[in-house]
Amino acid sequence: MMIREQIEAKIRAEFTPLYLEVVDESYRHNVPADSESHFKVVLVSDRFNDDRILSRHRAIYSVLTDELAGPVHALALHTYTVKEWEGLQDTVPASPACRNAGLSPIGTG
């Protein structure tokens, strides 16, 4: 199973999302081809109704312990209650460009 699929399956099982999007953004970074190391997660869940953003993120990190200890280098989290999501009109902030995107690794030219 691909890392993106693992992340999605674990989040679905734990948070019963009303909306979930897991995007592999590794291609936007200076990593080897076919790397699965940088992800953006957009998660809308009733579970977040009484949680602050930090608590939401900690809950996700605890579910993805293995992935964060291994192949996942970066995880951009966008977590919302249904009310917050409706206020955004279903739009999510774009991920910033990687500062090293397109640069050669040190020592390779």
Side-chain angles (χ1 to χ4, degrees):
M1 181 182 294
M2 297 175 62
I3 301 301
R4 186 195 60 74
E5 292 169 341
Q6 290 174 6
I7 291 170
E8 187 172 322
K10 286 184 173 185
I11 290 174
R12 280 194 191 284
E14 183 68 24
F15 295 96
T16 316
L18 299 167
Y19 177 83
L20 175 62
E21 182 178 10
V22 179
V23 181
D24 183 353
E25 297 187 324
S26 303
Y27 70 93
R28 301 181 64 197
H29 300 273
N30 188 22
V31 297
D34 298 326
S35 290
E36 289 186 274
S37 58
H38 295 70
F39 292 89
K40 175 169 70 173
V41 173
V42 181
L43 175 57
V44 180
S45 176
D46 285 332
R47 179 169 164 180
F48 297 145
N49 287 342
D50 297 320
D51 290 346
R52 294 179 181 211
I53 290 174
L54 185 57
S55 295
R56 299 171 190 183
H57 290 199
R58 285 181 177 154
I60 294 168
Y61 295 150
S62 70
V63 170
L64 301 178
T65 302
D66 293 338
E67 290 77 11
L68 292 168
V72 176
H73 171 74
L75 186 63
L77 298 175
H78 302 277
T79 56
Y80 305 102
T81 64
V82 173
K83 186 175 181 178
E84 291 167 341
W85 183 244
E86 289 170 353
L88 290 172
Q89 298 178 12
D90 300 339
T91 60
V92 176
S95 297
C98 178
R99 290 188 299 185
N100 295 324
L103 299 178
S104 298
I106 296 174
T108 62

